[in-house]
Amino acid sequence: VERLHHLENLTHNMLRFVKGEAAQIESINITDFLNEVKQVIEPQTQQYDLQLEVKDHSNGIDFMIDHEALNGAVINLLENAIQASHSGDQITLACSVDEEAILLSVQDTGSGIEFAIQERIFEPFYTTRSEGTGLGLAIVRGIIQSMGGAVQVNSIPGTGSEFVIKLPNQSGEA
């Protein structure tokens, strides 16, 4: 049921992205958000024999964000990490906060991304997978930018990848 809700949200986010709709901002607790995302993605990590670790260095603050859209973006990144990983690999979802920004990162120990591909992965319709649409990362970038943030990739082929979402910290807490 959680998976079906996620797919529904993903479709909704895609349509919002295409239509250019405004964000629906609400206050959420970062720790609760991380636990929610973990609950949704954990069955997939278990299915593929992957280790999921959540590192919450947020001090449990609340922040103003488009909850549904951010949830979809982070789960999209986690699903990409699952697809890039092999049995026994580790995936880490981490959060840290300073006075200016909230950083969310998804890191895997999978195959990594070739440097030439890293330059294009956020382009709409660019994909390296035969079953891919090339829209996932473009939508993630659009969602994060609509919230005043940015997303970047750090990857070394053969050692894994890390996607970092940087959002403005409007709570004023660190």
Side-chain angles (χ1 to χ4, degrees), residues 29-154:
N29 179 274
I30 295 178
T31 300
D32 292 345
F33 173 78
L34 294 173
N35 289 332
E36 175 186 341
V37 169
K38 179 181 178 184
Q39 183 179 8
V40 171
I41 206 71
E42 209 164 31
Q44 289 180 66
T45 58
Q46 291 171 351
Q47 177 183 352
Y48 294 104
D49 189 32
L50 302 170
Q51 307 302 313
L52 176 64
E53 182 178 10
V54 177
K55 295 181 178 179
D56 182 3
H57 303 288
S58 69
N59 299 322
I61 69 166
D62 292 344
F63 71 120
M64 300 299 290
I65 204 73
D66 185 334
H67 176 233
E68 184 178 311
L70 182 60
N71 184 297
V74 171
I75 288 176
N76 186 301
L77 294 177
L78 286 163
E79 288 176 338
N80 286 350
I82 289 169
Q83 292 172 3
S85 298
H86 304 95
S87 179
D89 283 353
Q90 178 158 338
I91 297 173
T92 304
L93 171 62
C95 179
S96 62
V97 178
D98 64 30
E99 291 178 8
E100 295 180 9
I102 295 167
L103 297 175
L104 292 163
S105 71
V106 173
Q107 185 173 18
D108 66 64
T109 56
S111 54
I113 304 168
E114 295 295 328
F115 294 114
I117 294 172
Q118 289 180 41
E119 296 176 8
R120 299 194 59 203
I121 58 173
F122 292 105
E123 292 177 14
F125 306 109
Y126 180 80
T127 185
T128 58
R129 286 185 249 161
S130 60
E131 74 283 355
T133 62
L135 290 174
L137 290 175
I139 291 171
V140 167
R141 183 177 64 179
I143 287 169
I144 300 307
Q145 287 177 339
S146 76
M147 292 185 259
V151 60
Q152 69 178 39
V153 61
N154 304 311

